[in-house]
Amino acid sequence: MEEVNFGKKHSHSFFLQKSQELIAVRSQAGKKLASALCCEQAHQAIGDSERVMHIEDADVQVFKLPPDSDLSKRKALLRELPDVRFAASVLVDPLTQEPVLYTENIFLKFTDQLTPTQCLVTLNELGMTIKQQVPYAANAFFVHNKDCHGTDVCSLTLKLLEREDIEYCHPEILRQGQRRAIHDNQWHLKKTTVTYQAQIDASANVEAAHEFAQGLGVVIAVIDDAIDIDHPEFAGPGKIVGAQNFDRRNSKQGPRPKNALERHGTAAAGVACANGQVGASGVAPRARLMPLKLTKPLGARAEADAFFWAADNGADIISCSWGPAEGHWADPTDPRHTQTFPLAASTRLAIEYAATKGRNGKGCVIFFGAGNGNESVDNDGYSSHPMVIAVGACNDQSRRSAYSDFGKALWCCFPSGDQPHPDPKFKPATSIPQTRGVRTTDLSGKFADSSNGAFTDLFSGTSSACPGAAGVAALVLGVNPMLDRQAVRQILADCCDKIGHADDGPLGHYDLNGHSHYYGHGRLNALRAVHLALERL
């Protein structure tokens, strides 16, 4: 077992074990792994294996070997290939057996009392080479020790953490993330008759709020897989600001998608701030969009860099419809339901930088989708961070969406879809009628769907709820830009409609503070939020 602890201040140790059936392979710099693995020797090593993970930016692939394979022999075969940088064993989470990759980069933060010179001297004494001095925390660095290889980096960081002058120290741990997704039809924005069949009155009352505010002057940063910034709903002078791609291999194309699979961010951005001039309006159609492409695994150095970039380049609001992998919403026996996911120290500090230093000290308002596992959001280090607003999903019947995560950290809900899983072996506890998703932007241009054009009616999950809530915050700041982060957070609690259903049970009940485990403070009411913001002028 290898132990990892992210730091003393937010101490959370977790243990990883070496897998006997997984092997990680990485290409040499400037080489393509796919080409390197085309030869006969590579076929002998992994030709009968299943690829279970691919980190494109670093060109690392993880393969699952057949039972009773000789792991050492296969690694040796791969290491002989000239274009293979390394072939190594893989650490896994003991609970779920999911792969957890690590690099030999170390995140290290000294206590604030040390001077910059003392930090540099100590790093030199420890044999550390600086790869990056991070800008979002004092005395913090990504470093590398040339004499430390493989899993030795885990024991080294634990030993360093015992020093009184070091506050955080851990390897760069990479885990596979998960996107939070499962016009007249925009039922989530207004009371409407959908496709001339059914009248729906379960919206966030956004259309009425547009009489007073549409997000003018507010910048919403959407951190996601890619954003189609050429979409007609994101057109117009000044609509796109601060665009950035944090993936090295495709940085020149900006945040644009490189294939038709990278469509999640476009849909999320549309929910937040699409112009509404062609086929779908965002909650805050006059807000500006800061599209930030991030496809690296959770915990990567670039993840923290994205939050710092957003805060330092003028974002008022940050929307993140992604997070740790979760259990199947309808399978109560899935072990991932009880898995805790701690936040890397680098990401934690970057989030706290954005929440306290952004907007000239008033703080960026940061949203995360609560998750789609029908499990406790309190186990998710991203959504449950106290400076984050965790957003759940409610459906077109004013009930919690069956998949939506719940718990103490859930702050509010926003309308989204509720699609029961078609697999017959998964039976929900109660009968859940199938409900509709949200209409928003989809890929345009060469990646557009021929049947739906550049729009979709199927966006769902807390992936959709999160940017919806971010859009409501943009309406609030549009009418009262002097509000700080905490004031916006409180307005979003005070504006909510207390929705629920008799079948919800105790978790659906609202306590004396107006909070429910299923709904947070309830479903956002955009008109009431704008009125509350105006009252504070």
Side-chain angles (χ1 to χ4, degrees), residues 20-216:
Q20 297 303 310
E21 60 178 8
L22 296 178
I23 186 170
V25 190
R26 183 177 186 181
S27 62
Q28 295 283 6
K31 303 293 184 179
K32 291 286 187 180
L33 187 57
S35 301
L37 299 181
C38 287
C39 66
E40 177 61 29
Q41 188 166 325
H43 184 75
Q44 293 176 17
I46 55 172
D48 55 355
S49 304
E50 173 192 2
R51 192 178 76 177
V52 296
M53 189 175 182
H54 183 199
I55 301 174
E56 291 188 61
D57 188 58
D59 205 15
V60 176
Q61 297 186 31
V62 177
F63 297 90
K64 183 177 181 180
L65 305 177
D68 303 321
S69 297
D70 188 333
L71 181 62
S72 298
K73 182 178 179 180
R74 292 180 181 237
K75 286 192 293 186
L77 286 170
L78 290 169
R79 287 169 180 166
E80 292 176 357
L81 300 177
D83 289 345
V84 169
R85 180 174 174 178
F86 69 72
S89 298
V90 176
L91 298 176
V92 296
D93 187 304
L95 179 66
T96 63
Q97 294 300 302
E98 293 174 343
V100 179
L101 300 186
Y102 60 93
T103 74
E104 292 175 355
N105 293 334
I106 295 171
F107 179 75
L108 188 153
K109 183 188 182 308
F110 293 102
T111 58
D112 291 345
Q113 289 73 32
L114 267 62
T115 66
T117 300
Q118 288 174 316
C119 294
L120 295 177
V121 168
T122 304
L123 288 175
N124 186 59
E125 292 174 349
L126 294 173
M128 298 293 184
T129 300
I130 298 174
K131 303 199 77 172
Q132 178 191 19
Q133 181 169 0
V134 304
Y136 44 81
N139 297 340
F141 307 83
F142 275 94
V143 296
H144 172 70
N145 186 310
K146 64 180 179 62
D147 297 322
C148 184
H149 303 286
T151 55
D152 290 345
V153 71
C154 298
S155 55
L156 173 62
T157 53
L158 285 176
K159 184 177 180 180
L160 291 174
L161 199 55
E162 296 174 359
R163 293 175 57 110
E164 293 185 0
D165 58 350
I166 292 179
E167 184 177 359
Y168 294 103
C169 189
H170 63 80
E172 186 180 26
I173 296 291
L174 309 177
R175 298 200 195 200
Q176 193 79 296
Q178 186 168 319
R179 305 294 164 188
R180 299 304 200 197
I182 301 178
H183 235 284
D184 279 346
N185 283 3
Q186 290 196 279
W187 63 270
H188 62 298
L189 304 183
K190 62 179 180 178
K191 179 179 178 180
T192 186
T193 299
V194 179
T195 59
Y196 306 103
Q197 294 176 359
Q199 188 174 74
I200 302 298
D201 188 8
S203 78
N205 206 14
V206 172
E207 184 184 50
H210 283 178
E211 295 295 321
F212 301 90
Q214 295 191 24
L216 181 64

Side-chain angles (χ1 to χ4, degrees), residues 345-358:
S346 52
T347 301
R348 175 185 296 278
L349 292 168
I351 287 175
E352 292 171 1
Y353 175 91
T356 56
K357 305 297 184 184

Side-chain angles (χ1 to χ4, degrees), residues 361-372:
K362 293 189 288 290
C364 297
V365 188
I366 304 172
F367 293 85
F368 267 87
N372 301 335

Side-chain angles (χ1 to χ4, degrees), residues 215-219 316-317 359 362-365 471-485 488 533:
L216 181 64
V218 180
V219 177
D316 299 296
I317 295 163
R359 299 180 59 232
K362 293 189 288 290
C364 297
V365 188
V472 175
L475 301 182
V476 167
L477 289 178
V479 298
N480 191 345
M482 297 309 296
L483 294 169
D484 64 19
R485 171 184 61 84
V488 175

